[in-house]
Amino acid sequence: MYPRVVPSCLCMLLLGSALAHAQVPGPRRSVSAVRVEQPPVLDGVLDDAAWAQATFTTDLVQKEPDQGLPATLRTEVAFVHDSDALYVGARMFSDSPADIETVMTRRDESGVAERLIISLDTWRDRRTAYSFAVTAAGQRVDWFHPSDGEYSRDFSFNPVWQARTRLTGEGWVAELRIPFSQLRFNDADEQVWGLNLNRYIPRRNEDDFWVVVPRHVTGWASWFGELTGVRGVRPSRRLELLPYVAGDWQVDSGRNPRAGTPYDSRRDWAGRVGGDVKVGLGPNLTLDATVNPDFGQLEADPAVVNLTAFETFFEERRPFFTEGAQLFTGQGPTYFYSRRIGAAPRLLGDLKSQRDFVEAPRASTLWGAGKLTGRLASGLSVGALAAVTGDSFADVYDFDTAEEGRVKVEPFTGYGVVRVQQELGGASVVGAMLTGVHRGVSPTGPEEGLVFNLPRQAYSASADASFRLGPGGQYALSTYAGGSHVSGTPEAMLRLQRSSARYYQRPDQSYVRVDPEATSLSGYTVGASLERVSGETWLWSVGGSAESPGFELNDVGSLQTADDLEARLGLTYRDTEPGPWLRGFEVELALLNNWNYGGVRQSTTLSSTASSTLPNFWTGSLTATYLPRALSDVLTRGGPLMQTGQGVDFIAELENAFSATTRWSLSAKTWRYETGSHGYVLGGSLGVQPTRRLRLSLEPGLSSFTEEPQYVATVEGGGPETFGRRYVFGAVDRRELSARLRADFFVTPDLSVELYAEPFASSGRYHRFGELARPRSRELLRYGEENTTREGGKLRLVDASGAAFEVDDPDFNLRSLRSNLVVRWEFRPGSTLYLVWQQDRATERALGRVMQASALGNSFSAPGSHTFAMKLSWWLPVD
């Protein structure tokens, strides 16, 4: 594979480098910033002498609803600066000031409020940009555009800046102060930055821009006008300190998990101190370091019931890792999944299956982390991260022997990630990435036996490129290649070989074999795609990828399965010009085929999606998917191939206009397969704003479906057709009910009380048990239902010959509640006080049927814990 793929990737890189360019039609608009000695007072009133010296730019143009026509309301924007900051003054006129939406929202959410957005391409690379938005209510929102797309937005960008707004008899006024220390730019006598202005008027569904990027074009910074006149400023050395103090207290409710153990009198309270430091290294690079970091999440992960063999991946919300995360992302697989760092001990589940009582930390001890990020004047972006976690231990107890002990569940571990990315002009880039993990696994005692199942070292390397080709960059060529290498004890490598990512032990394949003596595992991946991303009517895409059986990223990245060959085709027809019946519509066809390295077709997916926008700005879509029969190498979880049945599924979605004060959406999915799987999932959302300071939202979910066949267990005693093992399956009737509840109250734009709660109920009842009759079929040898019994958590099954055996009873009926109540007060720029009350409740005791009206209410009375926490951070800009 290497001799064929590597030259192909190199040819694509050379071809793209020769052709890459992006053209922007028409002359560029320009506005000048005026340097002032006395900066304006930030009060939302443009009566300072500084604004009398400035030139206000006007003449915004509609993108919605009537693209190309002048804005219906006048907007005036001007820029001044001193040596420390850029100031923006704006007047937004209205013919009905009472119609100005001034609702308050959470930080980095603008909701349906009227707003002004300032976007700055400070590097003048025509690819990246910073955006600063302020609503008529004074709420601040900011994000970073890591690529040349209007909706390519990274909200982890959290600069410290200020804004004030004021309602007037003619409309509203905004005044912004953006410190130069929060921006990155070249060291030049006069700065020339890319600029765009955007005013959104929700009551009119009107989106006005200084420079309009046409609807059919994919682009953003490449279309910007120019901001000139910023003279005599230099990139700051930027020394910022953010110390914090925090404490928490946990109280158990309705249970004592340590009852009967030597640990039942233990107190659950803790205090800690730590801090972050941000240091500028020259004009372009920034070093972020943290000691004893507090990475607590203010919003809980959603509850899920995962019956697959694959890991569930959750979104990263910890500020240290989210800020600048785009610098560690390239084409292809996810080489860096930051939630690996400081995660719960990976082998905790194995320990719980061996001991009666296990109490372990929810997260590994994160001692410290550092991050170097920035972009050089040459267009080279750099991201480097290092982190260290300490040993983690679990307390264990055996009720029969009264034996207690302490077991190491996670060793001392160091993580390192480096990525560089070079811009080639326009939106074209090439990049490379290295990752490394080293664990302190050494045979120092019997308690180390568990961590022997983790690799001692894990490395990966990758290169990728993305080119924008043709007039206006309407084509995109992307390609990537990478490799991985992990090493450790034979026990650790055996676990990886037998894991759900590869299942080397499959008995009916010959191209890979389990090696119990192996001390390393290596693999590679390659991929490429060519797309038409801009055009008035027709778009298309073609691509393919490969992941070898030995490819492994799960020590610091995320990978569900290796051993994959994939080919993709897509064709889209769209109309972006509004008509009498539709404002726009799009029809997409997609074909996806997947094989393993043995040439077995594992899946084929043929789908069609039709979506449209109505004249009232409601949007809707309908997706139909057909999946023909195929052969799965994962259904038996390490056993032989099993046929999957053909089937269809349908997804429908509908939501009202984004500008509506009351927002709602509906979604539905239904499916049916010849194997017996069928059901539906219903979802939706409702957000209301009773007052400008209060926002309420509800996201309910309801599902009722049958999955068949659903894996239950693998046991010995099978026939020769199935290699001496029984691969037991059943049909599971699943019912789930959930709701995500939010209530946000805003005293001021900087002081809020936010409540998040997610009650969850789920059950699964298994029946129609049987075992796989032969490889490459889906036929099951059924067990008699009359002979199936349940007792003491065990399921007793009897096959057609009368032979009986037991497996763990897979039925479940659970309730859970996860909630957070957070008081957030930014009492001075960059300095914040948090007060948090968190609940985590769960029970697997049967509490009636999930579909009962009381099911979600039962989760509030389930046993669990309360955690009360406080955190105070203080921003100290030294320079």
Side-chain angles (χ1 to χ4, degrees):
M1 181 65 70
Y2 273 120
R4 298 180 182 178
V5 172
V6 173
S8 299
C9 291
L10 291 176
C11 290
M12 294 182 77
L13 288 172
L14 293 174
L15 174 63
S17 182
L19 298 178
H21 65 284
Q23 300 178 359
V24 179
R28 296 187 184 275
R29 301 190 66 179
S30 179
V31 65
S32 181
V34 176
R35 184 180 179 97
V36 295
E37 296 302 323
Q38 183 64 39
V41 177
L42 207 67
D43 56 7
V45 180
L46 306 184
D47 58 355
D48 305 272
W51 296 119
Q53 304 175 48
T55 301
F56 284 80
T57 185
T58 58
D59 301 330
L60 270 62
V61 178
Q62 294 183 50
K63 183 171 183 176
E64 298 290 350
D66 300 311
Q67 181 171 289
L69 295 184
T72 62
L73 298 176
R74 183 176 176 83
T75 302
E76 300 176 348
V77 183
F79 299 85
V80 300
H81 74 93
D82 59 9
S83 58
D84 296 322
L86 176 70
Y87 294 83
V88 184
R91 301 185 185 99
M92 279 61 65
F93 293 89
S94 177
D95 54 11
S96 179
D99 287 343
I100 298 173
E101 290 286 6
T102 58
V103 296
M104 290 187 174
T105 57
R106 297 194 298 167
R107 176 67 192 269
D108 279 348
E109 289 186 7
S110 53
V112 297
E114 185 168 327
R115 55 191 174 271
L116 175 73
I117 305 173
I118 312 297
S119 295
L120 301 170
D121 174 11
T122 57
W123 288 111
R124 204 64 179 115
D125 58 13
R126 306 192 193 283
R127 179 177 176 272
T128 62
Y130 302 100
S131 285
F132 300 85
V134 61
T135 72
Q139 209 79 20
R140 288 165 294 143
V141 187
D142 41 60
W143 61 85
F144 177 69
H145 296 268
S147 61
D148 187 32
E150 181 178 350
Y151 299 104
S152 171
R153 298 177 176 182
D154 176 10
F155 286 94
S156 69
F157 172 60
N158 288 309
V160 179
W161 59 289
Q162 297 168 274
R164 294 291 183 269
T165 60
R166 188 181 298 270
L167 296 175
T168 70
E170 297 179 317
W172 61 287
V173 176
E175 204 167 13
L176 289 68
R177 181 182 186 273
I178 305 172
F180 291 126
S181 63
Q182 304 301 298
L183 301 172
R184 303 293 174 263
F185 49 89
N186 295 317
D187 189 0
D189 292 334
E190 179 178 356
Q191 301 293 324
V192 179
W193 295 347
L195 171 69
N196 207 352
L197 310 173
N198 175 204
R199 180 184 177 184
Y200 180 61
I201 310 170
R203 287 291 177 95
R204 299 178 176 226
N205 285 305
E206 185 172 335
D207 219 3
D208 301 329
F209 291 83
W210 196 54
V211 177
V212 172
V213 179
R215 297 188 192 102
H216 66 276
V217 171
T218 298
W220 183 235
S222 58
W223 284 70
F224 281 12
E226 294 180 344
L227 175 66
T228 62
V230 180
R231 297 183 178 88
V233 299
R234 291 290 184 270
S236 170
R237 288 180 296 170
R238 305 179 311 281
L239 175 57
E240 301 171 9
L241 305 177
L242 190 67
Y244 80 88
V245 293
D248 60 70
W249 175 40
Q250 181 172 312
V251 180
D252 292 316
S253 173
R255 65 172 183 178
N256 180 4
R258 305 188 187 98
T261 75
Y263 317 112
D264 59 0
S265 62
R266 180 176 292 171
R267 295 182 178 179
D268 287 317
W269 60 271
R272 54 196 178 276
V273 297
D276 301 337
V277 59
K278 190 184 293 284
V279 182
L281 302 180
N284 303 311
L285 298 178
T286 301
L287 174 65
D288 293 272
T290 183
V291 177
N292 192 24
D294 178 77
F295 290 150
Q297 292 182 199
L298 298 181
E299 185 173 299
D301 292 323
V304 295
V305 174
N306 184 357
L307 299 185
T308 73
F310 306 108
E311 179 181 1
T312 300
F313 298 104
F314 294 105
E315 181 183 356
E316 178 64 87
R317 296 187 181 94
R318 299 173 293 178
F320 179 84
F321 291 112
T322 58
E323 185 178 1
Q326 78 283 347
L327 292 173
F328 300 95
T329 303
Q331 303 289 328
T334 304
Y335 290 91
F336 178 48
Y337 174 52
S338 58
R339 290 195 62 160
R340 295 284 183 217
I341 302 175
R346 185 175 301 187
L347 301 179
L348 192 57
D350 295 344
L351 182 62
K352 288 182 176 180
S353 66
Q354 302 169 11
R355 304 298 179 100
D356 294 335
F357 171 83
V358 176
E359 183 173 73
R362 295 184 178 184
S364 302
T365 304
L366 185 50
W367 286 356
K371 182 171 57 177
L372 178 68
T373 57
R375 178 188 180 281
L376 305 180
S378 63
L380 179 69
S381 297
V382 178
L385 184 146
V388 176
T389 60
D391 294 335
S392 293
F393 296 88
D395 293 321
V396 299
Y397 185 72
D398 190 304
F399 287 105
D400 293 332
T401 64
E403 180 182 353
E404 62 179 288
R406 208 159 187 248
V407 177
K408 182 183 290 188
V409 290
E410 194 77 19
F412 172 90
T413 307
Y415 299 86
V417 182
V418 177
R419 177 170 170 80
V420 294
Q421 181 173 280
Q422 178 63 54
E423 298 167 9
L424 302 179
S428 300
V429 296
V430 295
M433 189 170 184
L434 297 172
T435 72
V437 177
H438 180 82
R439 294 187 175 92
V441 179
S442 58
T444 59
E447 76 282 354
E448 299 283 351
L450 194 65
V451 297
F452 272 178
N453 290 326
L454 293 173
R456 180 181 177 87
Q457 299 175 111
Y459 303 101
S460 73
S462 65
D464 60 88
S466 179
F467 304 105
R468 293 292 291 274
L469 316 172
Q474 62 178 306
Y475 300 99
L477 171 66
S478 301
T479 184
Y480 64 86
S484 67
H485 178 80
V486 295
S487 62
T489 64
E491 294 91 339
M493 296 303 103
L494 183 62
R495 184 182 68 86
L496 291 181
Q497 293 176 75
R498 299 177 65 87
S499 73
S500 58
R502 46 194 58 82
Y503 287 138
Y504 276 14
Q505 69 271 29
R506 301 193 311 272
D508 59 342
Q509 54 81 30
S510 58
Y511 60 96
V512 290
R513 281 287 179 264
V514 173
D515 181 359
E517 304 299 323
T519 57
S520 65
L521 184 69
S522 299
Y524 67 89
T525 181
V526 293
S529 66
L530 180 63
E531 304 174 77
R532 189 186 187 197
V533 296
S534 291
E536 294 188 5
T537 52
W538 291 100
L539 305 177
W540 50 263
S541 65
V542 58
S545 62
E547 292 171 349
S548 74
F551 191 56
E552 170 62 21
L553 296 179
N554 284 315
D555 288 280
V556 72
S558 64
L559 177 73
Q560 283 199 331
T561 61
D563 192 7
D564 286 320
L565 299 168
E566 191 170 278
R568 305 178 296 275
L569 292 172
L571 180 64
T572 300
Y573 177 82
R574 68 179 183 180
D575 186 349
T576 60
E577 292 300 320
W581 302 104
L582 296 173
R583 291 198 56 81
F585 71 91
E586 181 174 292
V587 178
E588 178 184 3
L589 293 173
L591 175 65
L592 173 66
N593 278 291
N594 182 277
W595 302 265
N596 65 19
Y597 270 56
V600 174
R601 182 174 59 84
Q602 302 178 96
S603 66
T604 294
T605 303
L606 177 62
S607 64
S608 175
T609 299
S611 57
S612 63
T613 302
L614 302 177
N616 61 358
F617 287 87
W618 287 18
T619 58
S621 66
L622 177 65
T623 300
T625 303
Y626 169 66
L627 291 92
R629 294 171 182 169
L631 293 173
S632 171
D633 60 7
V634 298
L635 274 181
T636 56
R637 304 197 183 184
L641 294 169
M642 185 174 181
Q643 188 184 73
T644 60
Q646 65 179 341
V648 293
D649 65 51
F650 299 92
I651 301 175
E653 297 177 322
L654 180 67
E655 63 179 327
N656 68 334
F658 180 76
S659 59
T661 303
T662 298
R663 292 293 313 281
W664 57 262
S665 67
L666 299 171
S667 64
K669 178 178 180 180
T670 183
W671 65 93
R672 180 170 292 276
Y673 291 84
E674 63 179 331
T675 58
S677 290
H678 65 279
Y680 64 86
V681 176
L682 303 176
S685 66
L686 175 65
V688 297
Q689 195 98 30
T691 72
R692 63 183 296 265
R693 298 180 184 274
L694 178 63
R695 180 74 176 173
L696 305 175
S697 65
L698 168 66
E699 296 179 36
L702 169 66
S703 60
S704 175
F705 54 93
T706 297
E707 291 181 288
E708 187 177 12
Q710 172 63 48
Y711 176 84
V712 174
T714 299
V715 295
E716 301 295 334
E721 299 86 354
T722 54
F723 307 95
R725 292 190 171 186
R726 302 178 189 266
Y727 298 94
V728 182
F729 291 84
V732 55
D733 296 329
R734 294 188 59 180
R735 308 290 184 267
E736 284 190 358
L737 191 61
S738 65
R740 294 184 185 179
L741 310 170
R742 296 182 190 272
D744 302 325
F745 179 75
F746 305 92
V747 182
T748 71
D750 299 317
L751 175 59
S752 63
V753 181
E754 303 171 19
L755 172 65
Y756 169 85
E758 186 191 12
F760 177 79
S762 179
S763 68
R765 178 72 175 176
Y766 285 74
H767 60 101
R768 288 175 51 81
F769 296 98
E771 62 184 74
L772 182 66
R774 67 188 67 84
R776 292 177 174 261
S777 79
R778 66 174 188 276
E779 179 187 352
L780 297 180
L781 301 176
R782 298 290 182 181
Y783 307 144
E785 293 289 324
E786 67 278 1
N787 295 325
T788 300
T789 58
R790 292 176 165 89
E791 185 176 356
K794 292 294 184 179
L795 180 67
R796 185 176 184 271
L797 301 170
V798 180
D799 67 13
S801 68
F805 60 96
E806 288 187 342
V807 298
D808 291 335
D809 189 347
D811 285 2
F812 60 91
N813 189 349
L814 61 88
R815 308 290 185 270
S816 78
L817 172 68
R818 299 180 180 184
S819 71
N820 282 333
L821 178 65
V822 180
V823 178
R824 180 186 182 277
W825 180 29
E826 188 174 349
F827 55 90
R828 61 188 299 268
S831 301
T832 308
L833 171 67
Y834 294 98
L835 300 175
V836 182
W837 170 33
Q838 183 180 77
Q839 287 191 85
D840 190 356
R841 298 174 176 268
T843 181
E844 296 184 15
R845 183 172 58 89
L847 296 172
R849 294 183 295 108
V850 168
M851 294 305 190
Q852 289 177 327
S854 61
L856 292 183
N858 290 335
S859 64
F860 287 84
S861 59
S865 62
H866 301 262
T867 300
F868 302 90
M870 183 275 291
K871 178 182 177 182
L872 175 65
S873 60
W874 200 286
W875 183 62
L876 300 173
V878 179
D879 184 17

